[in-house]
Structures are given as C-alpha cells and as structure tokens.
Amino acid sequence: MQVAIVLYPGFTSLDVLGPYEVLGRLPDTEVVFVAEKPGLVVNDLKSLSIEAVATPADVTTPDVVLVGGGPGQVEQMSNDALLDWLRTADRTSRWTTAVCTGTFLLAAAGVLEGRRATTHWAGLDQLAGFGAIPSKQRVVVDGHYATAAGVSAGIDMALTLGGLIAGDDVAQTVQLIIEYAPEPPYAAGSLDSAPADVVERARRVLAS
C-alpha cells in the first residue's frame, strides 16, 4: 500500500507526522512525502523541514492520499496543479484524507461536495461554502473520505484508518507501540471544555 502525504511551505508538522507515525507502521506500507519540488519543505514555525522525495507527477495512483493543514494551506488553495492532482488521485485512491485545515484543500478540489467533513474548530463553519457538510466530530468518515479536526486529531484519524485497512488488532498494536494514551493536564482541548478566556486567547492568536 502506498500512502502519499502532501507537503507545502507552511504546513503544520503534527498534521502530517502524527498520521505518518501510525500509517507508516501498517504492514506492507510505503509512505511517500510529495511536494511541488523535491527537497526540504519548511513548516509553519520555520524550524522543522521534511524532505519530499517525489512530485505529484511521480505518484500517480496512491492508495491513500493525506493532506495536512497549516497557514500555507491558504496559498495552496489556488494551486491548480495541486488541486488537479488531488482530483486525479482521488479517482483511484482507496482513501482520500485530510487533517485540520487540509480539509479545505480537498474541498477546494471539489471532492467533498455533499460529503460530511470536519476541520479545525476555527474554520469549521466555512466548510459549507465549499459544498461540504460540516461536522463537529473529531474524525469523520464518509465514503472513502476521512477527515480529522485540528492537528492532534490526525492521530485518531490514522488509527481509525488503520483499523479499516488492516483490522482492529493491527491498529491497536500500532497504538500500543506508539503508546498513544493521552492524559492531558488540562481540559482545554475543545471549545466545549476550554474556559472562555482560553477560547478568546486562542482566537486572538489564530487571528494574528
């Protein structure tokens, strides 16, 4: 199975590395980082780079397509070459997936029309403008599309995919290997649980 993970300047690291850590451990799986040009692609914090070894033209029929989010996603929404590749890859993919605001790239490509999907809470309401049906669920599976809410939800989505692709036993084995058993020190991980002042502070940070 080939998993193609899309990179672009300004991607959010955990959006892609969380799913990579899970999907890359599934049996008989090859993960390929894809970007417009081969080479290092820098993240949104400008402090970490991942090397893309292939261009979209090199990866024509991936079994799984994964697009992460990040501030750089806004510019990519007008990248016709990327959007065309997403549409083409989607025709033959077993799964077309996105994490966080990466969902907007799938929506811009037109593949989520009439589909339930999720994204980061700050942009969820905007999905409807692209013909998708916004969902507040952390992970949404609709047909062969899987989308995850913000950043860390990509791990949950990847484990969900792992179960659907390789079986629950395999997915649980991967979960144990990476010791994914979150016990955060705060209950501020969602709009429903975060204190009001924290929500307002987060909105200001995201808008800056």
Side-chain angles (χ1 to χ4, degrees), residues 39-86:
L40 293 175
V41 184
V42 68
N43 74 337
D44 53 350
L45 300 179
K46 303 187 187 305
S47 56
L48 182 146
S49 296
I50 297 177
E51 184 174 10
V53 298
T55 68
D58 300 321
V59 183
T60 56
T61 56
D63 299 287
V64 178
V65 176
L66 188 141
V67 185
Q73 156 263 323
V74 176
E75 183 177 349
Q76 297 304 314
M77 288 180 69
S78 58
N79 183 338
D80 290 336
L82 175 58
L83 298 182
D84 285 344
W85 179 80
L86 288 173

Side-chain angles (χ1 to χ4, degrees), residues 5-198:
I5 299 180
V6 176
L7 297 178
Y8 49 81
F11 70 93
T12 296
S13 304
L14 190 57
D15 282 12
V16 297
L17 291 179
Y20 165 78
E21 195 66 39
V22 173
L23 298 177
R25 294 178 184 276
L26 298 181
D28 303 316
T29 296
E30 172 199 29
V31 178
V32 180
F33 286 102
V34 178
E36 193 168 7
K37 297 178 181 178
L40 293 175
V41 184
V42 68
N43 74 337
D44 53 350
L45 300 179
K46 303 187 187 305
S47 56
L48 182 146
S49 296
I50 297 177
E51 184 174 10
V53 298
T55 68
D58 300 321
V59 183
T60 56
T61 56
D63 299 287
V64 178
V65 176
L66 188 141
V67 185
Q73 156 263 323
V74 176
E75 183 177 349
Q76 297 304 314
M77 288 180 69
S78 58
N79 183 338
D80 290 336
L82 175 58
L83 298 182
D84 285 344
W85 179 80
L86 288 173
R87 284 188 285 266
T88 300
D90 177 60
R91 295 189 191 111
T92 56
S93 68
R94 183 174 176 184
W95 291 99
T96 297
T97 74
V99 179
C100 197
T101 56
T103 300
F104 284 100
L105 286 174
L106 296 186
V111 301
L112 295 182
E113 183 78 28
R115 298 283 185 176
R116 294 172 58 253
T118 191
T119 186
H120 191 280
W121 56 263
L124 186 60
D125 292 342
Q126 300 170 35
L127 272 182
F130 293 88
I133 303 169
S135 171
K136 292 183 178 180
Q137 290 178 263
R138 188 165 170 83
V139 176
V140 175
V141 176
D142 188 338
H144 79 285
Y145 300 98
T147 53
V151 193
S152 64
I155 300 174
D156 299 61
M157 184 194 72
L159 285 168
T160 300
L161 280 184
L164 293 170
I165 292 168
D168 293 339
D169 288 347
V170 172
Q172 289 179 82
T173 301
V174 172
Q175 180 181 7
L176 179 57
I177 288 172
I178 67 172
E179 201 168 348
Y180 181 60
E183 295 181 7
Y186 308 107
S190 73
L191 287 178
D192 294 334
S193 63
D197 61 324
V198 172

